[in-house]
Amino acid sequence: MESTAKDFIGFVNYCNNHLSNSTDYGISRVILKQILATQDYSIESIAEEACVSQASVSRFIRKSGFPSFPKFRNDVSTAIVDIAVNRRMAHQLSYAN
C-alpha cells in the first residue's frame, strides 16, 4: 500500500518537474487529465490521444520510474483507491473525536 502511493507521488513529481520534451509533456497531460480512469486506459488509447507512438508512451512510463505500462496502470489505480480510502477514514475519524 505505501509503496504504490509513493510510486504514484513520484510519478506526479516526475510530471511536474522532470519532463524533458514536448512529447513527454503531451503524454503526461493525457494521463493526468484522466488519472481516475487510468485502469481503463490502454497504452494505445494514451498514444492516440497524445498523438505519439505506443513506443513513446512506453519510454515515458519507464523514464517516470515504472518497469512497464501494466505495472504503472495497476500501481496508479491501487494508489488512487488507497488515497481515497485513507482520506475517508481520516475524515470519519476527525468527526468521531
Side-chain angles (χ1 to χ4, degrees):
M1 179 169 105
E2 262 180 48
S3 178
T4 56
K6 184 178 176 184
D7 292 345
F8 173 67
I9 291 168
F11 173 75
V12 173
N13 180 53
Y14 176 79
C15 291
N16 285 326
N17 299 307
H18 302 289
L19 299 180
S20 59
N21 58 54
S22 62
T23 299
D24 288 352
Y25 175 80
I27 295 167
S28 69
R29 183 188 55 76
V30 168
I31 292 171
L32 292 173
K33 184 174 78 171
Q34 299 293 333
I35 199 71
L36 296 178
T38 301
Q39 184 63 35
D40 300 328
Y41 255 55
S42 66
I43 199 167
E44 295 86 2
S45 61
I46 292 170
E48 184 178 326
E49 190 171 336
C51 299
V52 298
S53 69
Q54 293 175 30
S56 293
V57 175
S58 182
R59 280 190 297 273
F60 173 79
I61 295 301
R62 286 194 312 273
K63 284 193 288 187
S64 69
F66 292 89
S68 67
F69 183 77
K71 175 79 168 137
F72 162 78
R73 186 173 54 199
N74 182 61
D75 284 2
V76 168
S77 295
T78 301
I80 288 172
V81 169
D82 289 348
I83 290 166
V85 167
N86 287 334
R87 287 185 71 192
R88 279 189 220 116
M89 288 174 58
H91 181 73
Q92 289 174 348
L93 289 174
S94 70
Y95 284 106
N97 294 326

